[in-house]
């Protein structure tokens, strides 16, 4: 789960994520396909320390949203 | 995941919830119907950006608009507060096992629905049509949404309830039954919660002019919504069809002994081979068999309609008869429902 509450950057961030996924898919080519476990770990390391996303910590997201008065966007998704 | 707060279509693999910090839900985003070739017609980055923009508008108007958001709030009376508390969920925990089998420790969202249905069936009860037809697509009323825009109509099906109401392509839906609509998922939420006999009141803008239209759904509209694409329907096939996956044969493709339009003709695309999904196989059914009568019902149903009819009227353990064609020859068998 990813919670995001800095709306001003959201469109850019989401676009970046999608393009990143597409680029990774295209560049894999003949390379060995990654396991789902590998993809989950890579996804976590890409987003866990991200300035714009809060990863798997809803309490923190609500705490920051309450402090800033900004809305939240919570994403539940499968990986990939 | 708190099921008292996050109530979305659990057959989705990508679902967004917009919230105020006080946990008031502004809206939801994330729709697909399993047609991978047409996925761009159902979900897009532009549509997400438009929904986000709408959520910001609602945030700016909050709490003055709070009354209009009441219908969008999660249903408080959920039986299990989190997925892992569902008794039939098994080994799963609230967090992933990052030191072990990571993906294997993840509760798939569709399991939330599967496992609760299993509890109902194992208790010897039937499932209701609302439970069997979750989050109906607007297409059930003849509305095809534009995935690239904010809650905007792309097409209206001829002679549909939406067409009768006067809805047109390009109309932007601002509210449905008083609820602000940001996305197709929001409209699905409205339909999901709506009573079977209720009407759908739509506040629209058409060429910048406000319009209000009332759509009167056809009889049994909830029953007619397609669930064949849903991941959670896989378990319903075990329950109702002994593990078969069926497809209605189009009228124009019905030759030989296959019944003509108006009569049942469901081809077995697949027959489960293992465990509880092999019930039909054990009863002698095979891939490519054509089901022409199911427990005395020979109506021209889709697989979705047949599953709903069975599971909403018959209980676990009841025996059903199945008439089918194999190489043009009519045969009969039976098995027990799960």
């Amino acid at each position: 789960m990813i919670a995001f509450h800095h709306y001003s950057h959201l469109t850019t961030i989401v676009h970046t994520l999608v393009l990143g996924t597409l680029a990774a898919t295209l560049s894999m080519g003949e390379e060995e396909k990654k396991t789902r476990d590998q993809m989950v770990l890579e996804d976590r390391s890409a987003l866990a320390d991200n300035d714009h996303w809060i990863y798997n910590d809803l309490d923190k997201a609500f705490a920051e949203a309450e402090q800033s008065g900004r809305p939240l966007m919570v994403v539940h998704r499968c990986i990939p | 995941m708190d099921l008292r707060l996050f109530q979305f279509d659990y057959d989705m693999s990508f679902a967004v919830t917009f919230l105020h910090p006080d946990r008031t839900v502004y809206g939801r985003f994330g729709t697909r119907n399993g047609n991978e070739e047409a996925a761009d017609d159902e979900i897009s980055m532009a549509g997400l950006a438009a929904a986000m923009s709408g959520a910001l508008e609602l945030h700016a108007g909050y709490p003055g608009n709070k009354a209009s958001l009441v219908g969008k709030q999660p249903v408080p009376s959920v039986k299990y507060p989190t997925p892992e508390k569902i008794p039939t969920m098994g080994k799963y925990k609230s967090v992933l096992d990052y030191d072990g089998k990571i993906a294997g420790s993840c509760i798939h969202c569709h399991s939330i629905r599967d496992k609760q249905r299993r509890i109902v069936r194992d208790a010897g009860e039937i499932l209701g049509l609302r439970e069997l037809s979750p989050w109906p697509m607007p297409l059930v009323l003849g509305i095809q949404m534009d995935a690239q825009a904010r809650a905007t109509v792309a097409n209206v099906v001829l002679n549909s309830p939406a067409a009768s109401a006067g809805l047109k392509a390009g109309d932007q839906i601002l509210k449905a039954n008083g609820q602000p609509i940001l996305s197709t998922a929001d409209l699905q939420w409205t339909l999901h919660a709506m009573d079977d006999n209720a009407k759908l009141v739509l506040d629209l803008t058409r060429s910048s002019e406000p319009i209000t239209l009332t759509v009167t759904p056809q009889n049994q509209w909830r029953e007619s919504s397609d669930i064949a694409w849903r991941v959670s329907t896989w378990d319903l096939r075990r329950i109702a069809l002994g593990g078969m996956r069926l497809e209605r044969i189009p009228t124009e493709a019905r030759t030989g002994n296959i019944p003509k339009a108006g009569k049942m003709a469901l081809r077995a695309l697949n027959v489960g081979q293992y465990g509880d999904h092999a019930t039909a196989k054990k009863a002698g059914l095979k891939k490519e068999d054509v089901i022409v009568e199911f427990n005395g019902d020979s109506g021209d149903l889709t697989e979705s309609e047949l599953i709903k009819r069975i599971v909403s009227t018959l209980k676990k353990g009841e025996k059903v008869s199945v008439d089918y064609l194999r190489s043009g020859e009519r045969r009969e068998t039976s098995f027990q429902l799960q």
Side-chain angles (χ1 to χ4, degrees), chain A residues 10 14 37 69 72 74 76-78, chain B residues 13 15 17 19 45 52 59 103:
Chain A
L10 186 57
V14 175
D37 282 3
L72 294 98
V74 179
H76 291 91
R77 65 195 178 114
C78 284
Chain B
S13 53
T17 309
L19 304 116
M45 295 304 301
M52 289 163 55
H59 188 62

Side-chain angles (χ1 to χ4, degrees), chain B residues 148-160:
Chain B
Q148 305 293 326
R150 175 174 154 189
T152 300
V153 177
N155 289 298
V156 178
V157 177
L158 280 175
N159 302 319
S160 66

